[in-house]
Amino acid sequence: MTPAARLQAAIEILDQVLAGEAAEKALTSWGRRSRFAGSKDRAAVRDHVFTALRCLRSHAALGGARSGRGLILGALREAGTDPDTVFTGVGHAPAALTTEERQLPAPLEADSPETLDIPDWLWPEFRASLGAGAVDAARALRSRAPVHLRVNPRRGSVAEALERLRADGIEATEHPAARMALEVVEGARRLRNAEAYQSGLVELQDAASQAVVEQLPLSDGMKVLDYCAGGGGKALAMAAQADIDLFAHDADPRRMKDLPQRAARAGAKVSCLPTDALDSAGPFDLVLCDVPCSGSGSWRRAPEGKWRLTAERLQDLYQVQANILREAARLTAPGGYLAYATCSMLRGENTEQVQRFLQGSAGWKLVCEHSWKVQDGTDGFHVAVLTRQTGDC
């Protein structure tokens, strides 16, 4: 595919996404229809689509329309590329620009929510949550997320992982956020076939997600529950940190379908629990609940979430999080620990949610609390570790 044809494919996919289709589904459907597209073509189209979604507001403003064509035109203008070199109508290139599309937009206001690609309704909360770092965080969310790996100490050392990755053409460096974290700086697309990945020596996991697990008071012999396990990344990280009796649960068990295979590759043992088995399996010495949230700390990876979040949905999430905290607390043994985590940078989902729980729950106290921000080279995460002092909650 020519560069212009790749952009036309991105335009068509973006129109589907703007109409309500999930980006991953739209990309997969396009790939199945486009057998002529090679791996480099698919990667380029994907990059165009996700860049447009991360920068949807500003690129729509620069391109004059909230459409696939408008977003790609806006991206070209931001990059300083002459749109007429792409919108030629030749072959599979986008059709030539209309008279209306040629009209240059008014300059964007510096550091406005539109320029920073944050919804207007969310900007006051975003700014209040991040303070002086709000602008830097918003700018970081407009860029592609780094690729991080977690080295599995049950399979080898950090030094060994770096060497074996290099043998497969993948260059990585140690990341300061977590002891076993690496950042891939070259060859990320080779990871799935790399021997270090297939053997379980490394797993894909953001460095801040790893750092969350390092904050947990894990020790050998503990009975631990990952209450909102999802794909099981944090469960596997906990299994690598200590010899524990580990259980995983998710409200949607389908999210855990790959966990047994991932655990086997990592040399870990994880027992998946349905909801009706939680009481009989508990209580637990530590319960981790990585709750559903706005995802504001991971909008670089899932940018649709930024535009589909509403004030009403955020309020609903507050209630879901509070309910999960109460249920997880009930499953925590006296003297045990409850860890509350989000991939959000919003105070209402983080510190304020924890304070609401503490104010309404007797017998609990805060042990530690920590946040990571996207502008510091990781996803945005928050974790609070609480301890249950009595049998009351």
Side-chain angles (χ1 to χ4, degrees), residues 296-377:
S296 56
S298 58
W299 278 342
R300 291 183 295 186
R301 304 179 193 278
E304 295 158 277
K306 179 163 54 172
W307 310 115
R308 293 181 178 169
L309 183 69
T310 64
E312 294 75 20
R313 173 58 179 158
L314 187 56
Q315 290 297 320
D316 290 343
L317 285 168
Y318 291 159
Q319 189 58 55
V320 169
Q321 293 159 1
N323 291 342
I324 289 174
L325 261 174
R326 285 194 293 270
E327 179 62 17
R330 191 180 63 79
L331 295 167
T332 307
Y337 296 94
L338 170 61
Y340 172 83
T342 74
C343 56
S344 171
M345 298 183 291
L346 302 179
R347 60 183 183 177
E349 298 182 280
N350 295 334
T351 54
E352 291 180 0
Q353 185 69 268
V354 172
Q355 287 305 311
R356 287 192 291 269
F357 171 78
L358 289 171
Q359 289 166 9
S361 305
W364 289 89
K365 75 171 183 177
L366 181 66
V367 175
C368 65
E369 199 164 15
H370 196 84
S371 294
W372 295 263
K373 305 296 190 296
V374 289
Q375 62 267 40
D376 297 327

Side-chain angles (χ1 to χ4, degrees), residues 92-134:
H92 298 287
L97 296 176
T98 66
T99 300
E100 184 179 1
E101 287 173 330
R102 290 183 184 281
Q103 299 298 314
L104 294 177
L108 298 181
E109 180 184 345
D111 295 342
S112 67
E114 182 177 52
T115 304
L116 294 170
D117 289 292
I118 300 292
D120 282 335
W121 71 267
L122 183 60
W123 180 241
E125 173 66 12
F126 192 88
R127 187 170 50 191
S129 298
L130 287 148

Side-chain angles (χ1 to χ4, degrees), residues 146-149 169-174 182-188:
V147 177
H148 293 163
L149 303 173
I170 301 165
E171 291 295 328
T173 59
E174 295 183 53
L182 303 177
E183 181 168 345
V184 177
V185 295
E186 185 179 334

Side-chain angles (χ1 to χ4, degrees), residues 44-300:
V45 170
R46 181 185 181 86
D47 287 346
H48 289 316
V49 167
F50 275 86
T51 295
L53 293 174
R54 291 184 195 104
C55 305
L56 192 149
R57 281 198 77 184
S58 61
H59 286 183
L62 290 170
R66 195 181 177 105
S67 66
R69 279 178 67 88
L71 292 174
I72 295 302
L73 176 56
L76 292 172
R77 283 176 171 157
E78 183 180 73
T81 302
D82 181 358
D84 284 319
T85 63
V86 172
F87 287 80
T88 64
V90 177
H92 298 287
L97 296 176
T98 66
T99 300
E100 184 179 1
E101 287 173 330
R102 290 183 184 281
Q103 299 298 314
L104 294 177
L108 298 181
E109 180 184 345
D111 295 342
S112 67
E114 182 177 52
T115 304
L116 294 170
D117 289 292
I118 300 292
D120 282 335
W121 71 267
L122 183 60
W123 180 241
E125 173 66 12
F126 192 88
R127 187 170 50 191
S129 298
L130 287 148
V135 170
D136 287 342
R139 286 175 179 162
L141 288 171
R142 300 181 77 247
S143 63
R144 186 174 181 173
V147 177
H148 293 163
L149 303 173
R150 177 179 57 79
V151 178
N152 178 5
R154 296 185 183 278
R155 296 294 194 217
S157 66
V158 168
E160 184 178 358
L162 290 169
E163 181 179 348
R164 287 165 63 179
L165 287 167
R166 191 173 296 115
D168 279 326
I170 301 165
E171 291 295 328
T173 59
E174 295 183 53
H175 195 286
R179 292 190 301 272
M180 307 303 287
L182 303 177
E183 181 168 345
V184 177
V185 295
E186 185 179 334
R189 298 194 191 280
R190 300 188 179 101
L191 271 171
R192 293 292 183 181
N193 295 320
E195 186 274 338
Y197 176 81
Q198 293 187 342
S199 68
L201 175 58
V202 297
E203 279 275 356
L204 282 161
Q205 188 174 24
D206 180 76
S209 179
Q210 299 178 46
V212 165
V213 174
E214 289 189 357
Q215 294 289 315
L216 305 181
L218 290 162
S219 59
D220 292 350
M222 291 180 75
K223 188 176 183 180
V224 176
L225 172 65
D226 187 349
Y227 185 81
C228 306
K234 290 185 180 64
L236 295 178
M238 288 192 289
Q241 189 165 309
D243 291 322
I244 54 177
D245 191 9
L246 180 60
F247 298 83
H249 163 268
D250 199 277
D252 183 355
R254 292 173 296 181
R255 297 190 187 111
M256 300 190 295
K257 64 182 177 65
D258 296 329
L259 181 51
Q261 180 182 354
R262 292 181 68 192
R265 187 174 69 228
K269 182 180 179 182
V270 184
S271 301
C272 294
L273 293 175
T275 300
D276 59 9
L278 287 171
D279 284 331
S280 59
F284 301 90
D285 300 310
L286 185 149
V287 178
L288 168 64
C289 45
D290 183 5
V291 299
C293 67
S294 65
S296 56
S298 58
W299 278 342
R300 291 183 295 186

